[in-house]
Coordinates of all heavy atoms in Angstrom, one line a residue:
M1132 N 90.8 86.2 123.5 CA 91.6 87.0 122.6 C 92.9 86.9 122.7 O 93.6 86.4 123.6 CB 91.2 88.5 123.1 CG 90.2 89.1 122.3 SD 90.1 90.9 122.5 CE 89.4 91.4 124.1
D1133 N 93.6 87.0 121.6 CA 95.1 86.9 121.5 C 95.8 88.1 122.0 O 95.6 89.3 121.5 CB 95.5 86.9 119.9 CG 96.9 86.7 119.7 OD1 97.7 86.8 120.6 OD2 97.4 86.4 118.6
T1134 N 96.5 87.9 123.1 CA 96.9 89.2 124.0 C 98.3 89.6 123.3 O 98.8 90.6 123.7 CB 97.2 88.7 125.4 OG1 98.2 87.5 125.4 CG2 96.0 88.3 126.0
T1135 N 98.9 88.9 122.3 CA 100.1 89.4 121.6 C 99.7 90.3 120.4 O 100.6 91.0 120.0 CB 100.9 88.2 121.2 OG1 100.2 87.5 120.1 CG2 101.3 87.3 122.2
A1136 N 98.5 90.3 120.1 CA 98.0 91.1 119.0 C 97.3 92.4 119.4 O 96.7 92.3 120.5 CB 97.2 90.4 117.8
P1137 N 97.3 93.5 118.7 CA 96.7 94.6 119.3 C 95.1 94.5 119.1 O 94.7 93.9 118.1 CB 97.2 95.8 118.3 CG 97.6 95.1 117.1 CD 98.0 93.8 117.5
P1138 N 94.4 95.1 120.0 CA 92.9 95.1 119.8 C 92.5 96.1 118.8 O 93.0 97.0 118.7 CB 92.4 95.5 121.2 CG 93.5 96.3 121.8 CD 94.8 95.7 121.3
V1139 N 91.6 95.6 118.0 CA 90.9 96.5 116.9 C 89.4 96.3 117.1 O 88.9 95.4 117.5 CB 91.4 96.2 115.6 CG1 92.9 96.5 115.4 CG2 91.1 94.8 115.1
L1140 N 88.8 97.5 116.7 CA 87.3 97.5 116.6 C 86.9 97.2 115.2 O 87.2 97.8 114.3 CB 86.7 98.8 117.0 CG 85.2 99.0 116.9 CD1 84.5 98.2 118.0 CD2 84.8 100.5 117.0
V1141 N 86.0 96.0 115.1 CA 85.6 95.6 113.8 C 84.1 96.0 113.7 O 83.3 95.7 114.6 CB 85.6 94.1 113.7 CG1 85.1 93.7 112.3 CG2 87.2 93.6 113.8
R1142 N 83.8 96.7 112.6 CA 82.4 97.1 112.4 C 82.0 96.3 111.1 O 82.5 96.5 110.1 CB 82.2 98.7 112.2 CG 82.7 99.3 113.4 CD 82.4 100.9 113.4 NE 83.1 101.5 112.2 CZ 83.0 102.9 112.0 NH1 82.4 103.7 113.0 NH2 83.5 103.3 111.1
Y1143 N 80.7 95.9 111.1 CA 80.2 95.2 110.0 C 79.1 96.0 109.3 O 78.3 96.6 109.9 CB 79.6 93.8 110.4 CG 80.5 92.9 111.1 CD1 80.6 92.8 112.4 CD2 81.4 92.1 110.5 CE1 81.5 92.0 113.1 CE2 82.3 91.2 111.0 CZ 82.4 91.1 112.4 OH 83.2 90.3 113.0
F1144 N 79.0 95.9 108.0 CA 78.0 96.6 107.2 C 77.4 95.7 106.2 O 78.0 94.6 105.8 CB 78.7 97.7 106.3 CG 79.2 98.8 107.2 CD1 80.5 98.7 107.7 CD2 78.5 99.9 107.7 CE1 81.1 99.7 108.6 CE2 79.0 100.8 108.5 CZ 80.3 100.8 109.0
A1145 N 76.1 96.0 105.9 CA 75.3 95.3 105.0 C 75.3 93.7 105.2 O 75.0 93.2 106.3 CB 75.6 95.6 103.5
G1146 N 75.7 92.9 104.2 CA 75.7 91.6 104.2 C 76.7 91.0 105.1 O 76.6 89.8 105.5
A1147 N 77.8 91.7 105.5 CA 78.8 91.3 106.4 C 78.1 91.2 107.7 O 78.4 90.3 108.5 CB 80.0 92.2 106.4
R1148 N 77.4 92.2 108.1 CA 76.5 92.2 109.4 C 75.7 90.9 109.5 O 75.8 90.4 110.5 CB 75.8 93.5 109.5 CG 75.2 93.6 110.8 CD 74.3 94.8 111.0 NE 75.2 95.9 111.0 CZ 74.8 97.2 110.8 NH1 73.6 97.5 110.3 NH2 75.8 98.1 110.8
A1149 N 74.9 90.7 108.4 CA 74.0 89.6 108.4 C 74.8 88.2 108.7 O 74.3 87.4 109.4 CB 73.2 89.5 107.2
A1150 N 76.0 88.1 108.0 CA 76.8 86.9 108.0 C 77.4 86.7 109.4 O 77.7 85.6 109.8 CB 77.9 86.9 106.9
A1151 N 77.5 87.8 110.1 CA 78.1 87.8 111.4 C 77.1 87.7 112.5 O 77.3 88.0 113.6 CB 79.0 89.0 111.6
G1152 N 75.8 87.2 112.1 CA 74.8 87.1 113.0 C 74.1 88.4 113.6 O 73.8 88.5 114.7
N1153 N 74.2 89.4 112.6 CA 73.6 90.7 112.8 C 74.4 91.5 114.0 O 73.9 92.4 114.7 CB 72.2 90.7 113.3 CG 71.3 90.4 112.2 OD1 71.6 90.9 111.1 ND2 70.4 89.5 112.3
T1154 N 75.7 91.1 114.2 CA 76.6 91.8 115.0 C 76.9 93.1 114.3 O 77.4 93.1 113.2 CB 77.9 90.9 115.2 OG1 77.6 89.8 115.9 CG2 78.8 91.7 116.2
R1155 N 76.8 94.2 115.0 CA 77.3 95.5 114.5 C 78.7 95.8 114.6 O 79.4 96.3 113.6 CB 76.5 96.7 115.1 CG 75.0 96.7 114.8 CD 74.3 97.9 115.3 NE 73.0 97.9 114.9 CZ 72.4 98.3 113.8 NH1 73.3 99.0 113.0 NH2 71.2 98.4 113.5
E1156 N 79.3 95.5 115.8 CA 80.7 95.6 116.0 C 81.2 94.8 117.1 O 80.5 94.3 117.9 CB 81.0 97.1 116.3 CG 80.3 97.7 117.4 CD 80.6 99.2 117.7 OE1 80.5 100.0 116.6 OE2 80.7 99.6 118.8
E1157 N 82.4 94.6 117.1 CA 83.0 93.8 118.2 C 84.6 94.1 118.2 O 85.1 94.6 117.2 CB 82.9 92.2 118.0 CG 83.4 91.7 116.7 CD 83.1 90.3 116.6 OE1 83.3 89.4 117.5 OE2 82.7 89.9 115.4
T1158 N 85.2 93.8 119.3 CA 86.7 93.9 119.5 C 87.3 92.6 119.3 O 86.9 91.7 119.9 CB 86.9 94.7 120.8 OG1 86.2 95.9 121.0 CG2 88.4 94.8 121.1
V1159 N 88.4 92.8 118.6 CA 89.1 91.4 118.3 C 90.6 91.8 118.3 O 91.0 93.0 117.9 CB 88.9 90.9 116.8 CG1 89.6 89.7 116.6 CG2 87.3 90.6 116.6
S1160 N 91.5 91.1 118.8 CA 92.9 91.2 118.8 C 93.4 90.6 117.7 O 93.5 89.2 117.6 CB 93.5 90.7 120.1 OG 93.2 91.5 121.2
A1161 N 94.1 91.3 116.6 CA 94.6 90.8 115.4 C 95.6 91.6 115.0 O 95.7 92.8 115.0 CB 93.5 90.7 114.4
S1162 N 96.6 90.9 114.4 CA 97.9 91.5 113.9 C 97.9 92.0 112.5 O 98.5 93.0 112.1 CB 99.1 90.7 114.0 OG 98.9 89.5 113.3
S1163 N 97.0 91.5 111.7 CA 96.8 91.9 110.3 C 95.4 91.5 109.8 O 94.7 90.9 110.5 CB 97.8 91.1 109.4 OG 97.6 89.8 109.3
L1164 N 95.0 92.1 108.7 CA 93.7 91.7 108.1 C 93.6 90.2 107.8 O 92.5 89.6 108.1 CB 93.4 92.4 106.8 CG 93.1 94.0 107.0 CD1 93.0 94.7 105.6 CD2 92.0 94.2 107.9
D1165 N 94.7 89.6 107.4 CA 94.7 88.2 107.2 C 94.4 87.5 108.5 O 93.5 86.4 108.5 CB 96.1 87.6 106.6 CG 96.1 87.7 105.1 OD1 95.1 87.8 104.4 OD2 97.2 87.7 104.6
H1166 N 95.1 87.8 109.6 CA 94.8 87.2 110.9 C 93.5 87.5 111.3 O 92.7 86.6 111.8 CB 95.8 87.8 111.9 CG 95.9 87.2 113.2 ND1 96.2 88.1 114.3 CD2 95.5 86.0 113.7 CE1 96.1 87.3 115.5 NE2 95.6 86.0 115.1
L1167 N 93.0 88.7 111.1 CA 91.5 89.1 111.5 C 90.6 88.2 110.8 O 89.7 87.8 111.4 CB 91.3 90.6 111.2 CG 90.0 91.2 111.6 CD1 89.7 91.1 113.0 CD2 89.8 92.5 111.0
T1168 N 90.7 87.9 109.5 CA 89.7 87.2 108.7 C 89.7 85.7 109.3 O 88.6 85.2 109.3 CB 89.9 87.2 107.2 OG1 91.2 86.8 106.9 CG2 89.8 88.7 106.6
V1169 N 90.9 85.2 109.7 CA 90.8 83.8 110.3 C 90.1 83.8 111.5 O 89.3 83.0 111.8 CB 92.3 83.4 110.4 CG1 92.4 82.1 111.2 CG2 93.0 83.2 109.1
L1170 N 90.4 84.8 112.4 CA 89.8 84.9 113.7 C 88.2 85.0 113.6 O 87.4 84.3 114.3 CB 90.3 85.9 114.5 CG 91.9 85.8 115.0 CD1 92.3 87.1 115.6 CD2 92.0 84.6 115.8
L1171 N 87.7 85.9 112.6 CA 86.4 86.2 112.5 C 85.7 85.0 111.9 O 84.6 84.7 112.3 CB 86.2 87.4 111.7 CG 86.6 88.8 112.2 CD1 86.5 89.9 111.3 CD2 86.0 89.0 113.6
S1172 N 86.4 84.3 111.0 CA 85.8 83.1 110.4 C 85.6 82.0 111.4 O 84.6 81.3 111.4 CB 86.6 82.6 109.2 OG 86.7 83.6 108.2
E1173 N 86.6 81.9 112.3 CA 86.4 80.9 113.3 C 85.3 81.3 114.3 O 84.6 80.3 114.8 CB 87.8 80.8 114.1 CG 88.9 80.1 113.4 CD 90.2 80.1 114.0 OE1 90.3 80.9 115.2 OE2 91.2 79.6 113.5
R1174 N 85.2 82.5 114.5 CA 84.2 83.0 115.6 C 82.7 82.9 115.0 O 81.9 82.6 115.7 CB 84.5 84.4 115.9 CG 83.5 85.0 117.0 CD 83.9 86.3 117.4 NE 85.2 86.4 118.1 CZ 85.7 87.4 118.8 NH1 85.1 88.6 118.6 NH2 86.8 87.3 119.4
H1175 N 82.5 83.2 113.7 CA 81.2 83.3 113.2 C 80.9 82.3 112.0 O 79.7 82.3 111.8 CB 81.0 84.7 112.6 CG 81.1 85.9 113.5 ND1 80.1 86.1 114.4 CD2 82.1 86.8 113.9 CE1 80.4 87.1 115.2 NE2 81.6 87.5 115.0
G1176 N 81.9 81.5 111.7 CA 81.5 80.4 110.7 C 81.8 80.7 109.2 O 82.1 81.8 108.8
E1177 N 81.4 79.7 108.4 CA 81.6 79.7 107.0 C 80.8 80.8 106.2 O 81.4 81.3 105.3 CB 81.2 78.2 106.5 CG 81.5 78.1 105.0 CD 83.0 78.2 104.6 OE1 83.9 77.9 105.5 OE2 83.4 78.6 103.5
R1178 N 79.7 81.1 106.7 CA 78.9 82.2 106.0 C 79.8 83.5 106.0 O 79.9 84.1 105.0 CB 77.6 82.4 106.6 CG 76.7 83.3 105.9 CD 75.3 83.4 106.4 NE 74.5 84.5 105.8 CZ 73.5 85.0 106.4 NH1 73.1 84.6 107.6 NH2 72.9 86.0 105.9
L1179 N 80.3 83.9 107.1 CA 81.0 85.2 107.1 C 82.4 85.0 106.4 O 82.8 85.9 105.8 CB 81.3 85.6 108.6 CG 82.1 86.8 108.7 CD1 81.4 88.1 108.0 CD2 82.3 87.3 110.2
A1180 N 83.0 83.8 106.6 CA 84.3 83.4 105.8 C 84.1 83.7 104.4 O 85.0 84.3 103.7 CB 84.7 82.0 106.2
L1181 N 82.9 83.3 103.7 CA 82.7 83.6 102.3 C 82.7 85.0 102.0 O 83.2 85.4 101.1 CB 81.5 82.7 101.9 CG 81.5 81.4 101.9 CD1 80.3 80.7 101.6 CD2 82.7 80.8 100.9
V1182 N 82.0 85.8 102.9 CA 81.9 87.2 102.7 C 83.3 87.9 102.8 O 83.6 88.8 102.0 CB 80.9 87.9 103.7 CG1 81.0 89.4 103.6 CG2 79.5 87.3 103.4
L1183 N 84.0 87.4 103.8 CA 85.3 88.2 104.0 C 86.3 87.9 102.9 O 87.2 88.8 102.6 CB 86.1 87.5 105.3 CG 85.2 87.9 106.6 CD1 85.9 87.2 107.8 CD2 85.2 89.3 106.8
K1184 N 86.1 86.8 102.1 CA 87.0 86.5 101.0 C 86.9 87.7 99.8 O 87.9 87.9 99.1 CB 86.7 85.2 100.3 CG 87.2 84.1 101.2 CD 86.9 82.8 100.5 CE 87.3 81.6 101.3 NZ 87.0 80.3 100.7
T1185 N 85.8 88.2 99.8 CA 85.5 89.1 98.7 C 85.2 90.7 99.3 O 85.1 91.7 98.5 CB 84.3 88.9 97.9 OG1 83.2 88.7 98.6 CG2 84.6 87.6 97.1
A1186 N 85.3 90.8 100.6 CA 85.0 92.1 101.2 C 86.2 93.1 101.0 O 87.3 92.7 100.7 CB 84.8 91.9 102.7
S1187 N 85.8 94.4 101.0 CA 86.7 95.4 101.2 C 87.0 95.9 102.5 O 86.0 95.8 103.4 CB 86.2 96.6 100.4 OG 86.2 96.2 99.0
F1188 N 88.1 96.3 103.0 CA 88.3 96.7 104.4 C 88.8 98.1 104.4 O 89.7 98.6 103.6 CB 89.3 95.9 104.9 CG 89.1 94.4 105.0 CD1 89.3 93.5 104.0 CD2 88.4 93.9 106.1 CE1 89.0 92.2 104.1 CE2 87.8 92.6 106.2 CZ 88.2 91.8 105.3
L1189 N 88.2 98.9 105.3 CA 88.7 100.2 105.6 C 89.5 100.2 106.9 O 88.8 99.6 107.8 CB 87.6 101.2 105.8 CG 86.8 101.4 104.4 CD1 85.7 102.5 104.7 CD2 87.6 101.9 103.2
V1190 N 90.7 100.6 107.2 CA 91.3 100.7 108.4 C 91.4 102.3 108.7 O 92.1 103.0 108.0 CB 92.7 100.1 108.2 CG1 93.4 100.2 109.6 CG2 92.6 98.6 107.9
D1191 N 90.7 102.6 109.9 CA 90.6 104.0 110.2 C 90.2 104.9 109.1 O 90.7 105.9 108.8 CB 91.9 104.5 110.8 CG 92.3 103.8 112.2 OD1 91.3 103.5 112.8 OD2 93.5 103.7 112.5
G1192 N 89.2 104.3 108.3 CA 88.6 105.2 107.2 C 89.4 105.1 105.9 O 88.8 105.7 105.0
L1193 N 90.5 104.5 105.9 CA 91.3 104.4 104.6 C 91.2 103.0 103.9 O 91.4 102.0 104.7 CB 92.6 104.8 104.8 CG 92.9 106.2 105.3 CD1 94.4 106.4 105.7 CD2 92.4 107.3 104.3
A1194 N 91.0 102.8 102.7 CA 91.0 101.5 102.0 C 92.3 100.9 102.2 O 93.3 101.4 102.2 CB 90.7 101.7 100.6
C1195 N 92.3 99.6 102.7 CA 93.4 98.9 102.9 C 93.4 97.5 102.0 O 92.5 96.7 102.1 CB 93.6 98.4 104.3 SG 95.2 97.6 104.6
H1196 N 94.3 97.4 101.0 CA 94.3 96.3 99.9 C 95.3 95.3 100.4 O 95.2 94.3 99.9 CB 94.5 96.8 98.6 CG 93.5 97.9 98.2 ND1 92.2 97.6 98.0 CD2 93.6 99.2 98.1 CE1 91.6 98.6 97.6 NE2 92.4 99.7 97.8
D1197 N 96.2 95.7 101.3 CA 97.4 94.7 101.8 C 96.8 94.0 103.0 O 96.8 94.6 104.0 CB 98.6 95.5 101.9 CG 99.7 94.5 102.3 OD1 99.6 93.3 102.6 OD2 100.9 94.9 102.4
R1198 N 96.4 92.8 102.9 CA 95.9 92.1 104.1 C 97.0 91.6 105.0 O 96.7 91.1 106.0 CB 95.0 90.9 103.5 CG 93.7 91.3 102.9 CD 92.9 90.3 102.6 NE 91.7 90.7 101.8 CZ 90.4 90.2 102.0 NH1 90.2 89.1 102.7 NH2 89.4 90.7 101.4
Q1199 N 98.2 91.8 104.6 CA 99.3 91.5 105.6 C 99.9 92.6 106.4 O 100.8 92.3 107.2 CB 100.5 90.7 104.8 CG 99.9 89.4 104.2 CD 100.9 88.7 103.3 OE1 102.2 89.0 103.3 NE2 100.6 87.5 102.9
V1200 N 99.4 93.8 106.1 CA 100.0 95.0 106.7 C 99.6 94.9 108.2 O 98.6 94.4 108.6 CB 99.6 96.3 106.1 CG1 98.1 96.5 106.3 CG2 100.4 97.4 106.5
A1201 N 100.4 95.3 109.1 CA 100.2 95.4 110.6 C 99.1 96.3 110.9 O 99.0 97.4 110.4 CB 101.5 95.7 111.4
L1202 N 98.1 95.9 111.7 CA 97.1 96.7 112.2 C 97.5 97.3 113.5 O 98.1 96.8 114.4 CB 95.8 95.8 112.5 CG 95.1 95.2 111.3 CD1 94.0 94.2 111.8 CD2 94.5 96.3 110.4
P1203 N 97.3 98.8 113.5 CA 97.7 99.5 114.7 C 96.7 99.2 115.8 O 95.5 99.0 115.6 CB 97.7 100.9 114.3 CG 96.7 101.0 113.1 CD 96.8 99.6 112.5
A1204 N 97.2 99.3 117.0 CA 96.3 99.0 118.2 C 95.3 100.2 118.3 O 95.6 101.3 117.9 CB 97.1 99.2 119.5
G1205 N 94.0 99.8 118.5 CA 92.9 100.8 118.6 C 92.4 101.1 117.2 O 91.5 102.1 117.3
A1206 N 92.7 100.5 116.2 CA 92.2 100.8 114.9 C 90.8 100.4 114.7 O 90.3 99.6 115.4 CB 93.1 100.1 113.8
T1207 N 90.0 101.1 113.8 CA 88.7 100.7 113.5 C 88.8 100.0 112.1 O 89.3 100.7 111.3 CB 87.8 101.9 113.5 OG1 87.8 102.4 114.8 CG2 86.4 101.5 113.0
V1208 N 88.3 98.8 112.0 CA 88.3 98.1 110.7 C 86.9 97.9 110.3 O 86.1 97.3 110.9 CB 88.9 96.7 110.9 CG1 88.9 96.0 109.5 CG2 90.4 96.9 111.3
D1209 N 86.5 98.6 109.2 CA 85.1 98.4 108.5 C 85.1 97.3 107.6 O 86.1 97.3 106.7 CB 84.7 99.7 107.9 CG 84.6 100.8 108.9 OD1 84.1 100.6 110.1 OD2 84.7 102.0 108.6
V1210 N 84.2 96.3 107.6 CA 84.1 95.3 106.8 C 83.0 95.6 105.7 O 81.8 95.7 106.2 CB 83.8 93.9 107.5 CG1 83.8 92.7 106.5 CG2 84.9 93.7 108.5
L1211 N 83.2 95.7 104.5 CA 82.3 96.2 103.5 C 82.2 95.1 102.4 O 83.1 94.9 101.7 CB 82.7 97.4 102.8 CG 83.1 98.6 103.8 CD1 83.8 99.7 102.9 CD2 81.9 99.0 104.5
P1212 N 81.1 94.3 102.4 CA 80.9 93.2 101.4 C 80.7 94.0 100.0 O 80.4 95.1 99.9 CB 79.7 92.6 101.9 CG 78.9 93.5 102.6 CD 80.0 94.5 103.3
P1213 N 80.8 93.2 99.0 CA 80.5 93.7 97.7 C 79.1 94.2 97.6 O 78.2 93.5 98.2 CB 80.7 92.6 96.7 CG 81.5 91.6 97.4 CD 81.2 91.8 98.8
F1214 N 78.9 95.4 97.0 CA 77.4 95.8 97.1 C 76.8 95.7 95.5 O 77.8 95.7 94.6 CB 77.5 97.4 97.4 CG 77.8 97.6 98.7 CD1 79.1 97.9 99.2 CD2 76.8 97.6 99.7 CE1 79.3 98.1 100.5 CE2 77.1 97.7 101.2 CZ 78.4 98.1 101.5
A1215 N 75.6 95.4 95.4 CA 75.1 95.3 94.1 C 75.3 96.5 93.2 O 75.2 97.6 93.6 CB 73.6 95.1 94.3
G1216 N 75.7 96.2 91.9 CA 76.1 97.2 91.1 C 77.3 98.0 91.3 O 77.7 98.9 90.6
G1217 N 78.2 97.4 92.2 CA 79.5 98.2 92.3 C 80.7 97.4 92.4 O 81.0 96.3 92.4

């Protein structure tokens, strides 16, 4: 883990969970969503990387569209892949 970045709890839903090897949640130290997506792609591979490109993110329950905004320590980041029909 990157000790200079704050730890955040990442929770995976639907196709994101499957792409992460059925991981439900994990803790990752990341400074932003961009940083987080790089780390998660390195950890879980190309399948998750593809999902992350189109995923929506909730940070502490709020939609976050700016992938460069700083993540607060202890935040919960929900990874929501595109859903059928939506």
Side-chain angles (χ1 to χ4, degrees):
M1132 264 200 285
D1133 180 353
T1134 58
T1135 61
V1139 297
L1140 176 64
V1141 180
R1142 300 188 305 185
Y1143 299 100
F1144 293 88
R1148 180 180 296 158
N1153 288 319
T1154 301
R1155 290 187 178 272
E1156 61 183 43
E1157 63 185 315
T1158 301
V1159 180
S1160 292
S1162 57
S1163 67
L1164 289 176
D1165 275 344
H1166 184 211
L1167 180 65
T1168 59
V1169 168
L1170 295 172
L1171 295 177
S1172 296
E1173 289 172 353
R1174 184 178 289 184
H1175 295 286
E1177 185 63 25
R1178 187 171 171 209
L1179 182 60
L1181 291 172
V1182 171
L1183 294 173
K1184 287 181 183 180
T1185 58
S1187 297
F1188 298 90
L1189 300 180
V1190 177
D1191 290 334
L1193 300 173
C1195 184
H1196 303 287
D1197 182 354
R1198 292 188 179 208
Q1199 295 180 2
V1200 71
L1202 292 172
T1207 298
V1208 178
D1209 295 328
V1210 180
L1211 307 169
F1214 293 94

